[in-house]
Amino acid sequence: MIVVSEVDPADEPTLRAFWETEQASVWHDRQYAIPRSWERLRSMMAHPNDWYRRTLLVARDGDALVGVADLGGSITDNLHLADLEIHVLPERRREGIGRALHDEAARRLRADGRTSVVGEVYCPAGSQGSGEAAYDFAAAMGYAPVHSEDHLMLALPVGGREVERLRGKVDKTAYDVLTWTGPCPEEHLEQFCEMHTRMSSDVPVGEIDYEPVLIDPERLRGREERVFRSFDGITSVARRRADGVFGGYSQLYLPHGADYVYQDDTLVMPEHRGHRLGTALKLATLELLQRESPDRRAIHTDTAVDNHAMQATNLDFGYRPVERMYEMQRRDG
Ligand SMILES: CC(C)(COP(=O)(O)OP(=O)(O)OC[C@H]1O[C@@H](n2cnc3c(N)ncnc32)[C@H](O)[C@@H]1OP(=O)(O)O)[C@@H](O)C(=O)NCCC(=O)NCCS
């Protein structure tokens, strides 16, 4: 019989078994995955934050751990929304374990007042979703696709001639590009927070019923504190020469102990578009990365399929799609 229970974050052997199950599941299906490290999971559970609550579930068959679920939701905004991710050991699939985990997760989320649940489903590049186990499972649980992104990869290093070509595209007259590593310098904090808030409302999320949130200095510093336990960060911002106003930013995260990099947010504020700032910002972080961390072998990023401007910029840098992610959502009530 399958029994589903909650993981006590202080129970390290169970937490470790949770992580090993997640790893086995991810690597069975996804050659290009960048799953969280053991250190990252441990750090996430050891330092719960004031904005987001995470609950881990495990499914056991006797003593054997055969599946896991990670459910979470913001506790300061978007109280109707929840995130859910389920993994079942490859050799134990199609036995109803995924459904058992889903049922228990859904019961808990309902009790918590969450009426809208989203989960990310990774399929091979170009896939239409249907016909892939993860997608069909989500559909069987009542979820429908509301947004899709390409998972793209850029092999490193990018050669000098290529960097030179990209440099030639950048407008150097109207904007300066500043870069930093680690936390945002205090003197830029206010403008940086404004851009993060804008990102929260501007990033394409398809039909997901997500309400934008205000990123104030406290929230930004809290996020930095959590992230920099497991990652190094490289940030670039574009500052308009005429008035010092920030027009956009881009961020790279370097997971500790790994050989890849994750390209996170890149935003050009609407009134600053049309100056190739996307290229300028990404190029600045790339050049700093190649100078200071030449050991990294690839950059991964996720870009909405219908974000044509960012797709074109990524293609120009040499990024290639390796997976298609479908965000699946179920609305109850
Ligand atoms: C998706 C996953 C969790 C399913 O787990 P599972 O234990 O095999 O799922 P279940 O046996 O409970 O299946 C429940 C229903 O989902 C559907 N389903 C599951 N796998 C399917 C597949 N390979 N093809 C078609 N339908 C499938 C079926 O309708 C199934 O009901 P049925 O067996 O009565 O026909 C598992 O394949 C997995 O861990 N994949 C990798 C991680 C992942 O992608 N997770 C989903 C994103 S959160």
Side-chain angles (χ1 to χ4, degrees), residues 15 68 88 116 151 166 182 231 237 256-258 285 287 292 297 331:
L15 195 59
V68 297
V88 173
S116 192
H151 170 192
L166 290 162
F231 300 85
V237 297
H256 298 161
T285 54
E287 291 195 77
E292 297 203 346
R297 299 270 65 94
R331 290 189 178 95

Side-chain angles (χ1 to χ4, degrees), residues 25 29 84-88 92-100 119-121 133-134 136-137 140-141:
S25 167
D29 303 306
L84 176 60
E85 189 173 325
I86 295 178
H87 287 280
V88 173
R92 296 299 304 267
R93 293 186 183 165
R94 292 313 286 272
E95 294 178 34
I97 297 167
R99 187 188 292 278
E120 295 182 347
V121 155
D136 289 347
F137 168 74
M141 299 300 114

Side-chain angles (χ1 to χ4, degrees), residues 79-307:
L79 300 178
H80 64 295
L81 208 57
D83 304 310
L84 176 60
E85 189 173 325
I86 295 178
H87 287 280
V88 173
L89 281 180
E91 62 276 19
R92 296 299 304 267
R93 293 186 183 165
R94 292 313 286 272
E95 294 178 34
I97 297 167
R99 187 188 292 278
L101 281 160
H102 181 268
D103 287 353
E104 175 57 15
R107 190 191 65 73
R108 286 168 177 257
L109 293 174
R110 253 193 322 273
D112 195 31
R114 311 275 167 170
T115 52
S116 192
V117 186
V118 290
E120 295 182 347
V121 155
Y122 283 89
C123 299
S127 156
Q128 297 302 305
S130 179
E132 305 294 335
Y135 187 99
D136 289 347
F137 168 74
M141 299 300 114
Y143 291 68
V146 283
H147 176 63
S148 56
E149 293 186 353
D150 284 322
H151 170 192
L152 304 142
M153 247 176 95
L154 174 67
L156 297 178
V158 174
R161 200 177 299 170
E162 205 36 32
V163 168
E164 217 35 65
R165 182 185 68 79
L166 290 162
R167 266 196 208 135
K169 296 189 155 195
V170 171
D171 168 10
K172 296 176 199 70
T173 56
Y175 289 85
D176 290 316
V177 175
L178 321 178
T179 54
W180 65 77
T181 55
C184 175
E186 199 59 35
E187 71 262 33
H188 302 320
L189 191 58
E190 198 181 315
Q191 287 212 66
F192 198 50
C193 283
E194 274 170 33
M195 291 196 291
H196 273 275
T197 299
R198 190 65 161 267
M199 184 77 192
S200 161
S201 62
D202 276 9
V203 68
V205 290
E207 298 161 42
I208 302 172
D209 53 355
Y210 171 75
E211 286 160 16
V213 294
L214 175 76
I215 310 293
D216 58 17
E218 190 196 352
R219 189 157 177 162
L220 187 93
R221 289 298 190 214
R223 184 189 283 178
E224 287 180 339
E225 194 187 322
R226 287 192 308 281
V227 166
F228 293 138
R229 283 195 194 102
S230 312
F231 300 85
D232 293 331
I234 295 179
T235 302
S236 62
V237 297
R239 186 170 62 189
R240 191 159 55 199
R241 287 198 176 156
D243 54 10
V245 170
F246 281 8
Y249 75 98
S250 182
Q251 288 193 298
L252 294 180
Y253 289 118
L254 290 66
H256 298 161
D259 66 354
Y260 69 86
V261 177
Y262 186 70
Q263 165 77 64
D264 204 38
D265 297 351
T266 300
L267 173 75
V268 178
M269 309 274 268
E271 58 277 26
H272 298 264
R273 289 182 187 159
H275 298 277
R276 292 249 168 86
L277 289 185
T279 299
L281 291 164
K282 285 197 163 186
L283 185 60
T285 54
L286 175 69
E287 291 195 77
L288 184 55
L289 171 73
Q290 298 206 133
R291 234 177 10 253
E292 297 203 346
S293 302
D295 53 319
R296 302 281 164 158
R297 299 270 65 94
I299 308 181
H300 293 251
T301 194
D302 295 291
T303 301
V305 173
D306 55 6
N307 187 347

Side-chain angles (χ1 to χ4, degrees), residues 54-71:
R54 187 181 294 280
T55 304
L56 305 183
L57 302 178
V58 289
R60 286 199 171 84
D61 182 5
D63 288 340
L65 209 159
V66 291
V68 297
D70 180 335
L71 48 149

Side-chain angles (χ1 to χ4, degrees), residues 7-29:
V7 178
D8 171 359
D11 175 0
E12 191 153 310
T14 302
L15 195 59
R16 178 75 195 189
F18 176 108
W19 180 78
E20 285 170 0
T21 304
E22 184 175 80
Q23 291 282 307
S25 167
V26 167
W27 290 120
H28 178 259
D29 303 306

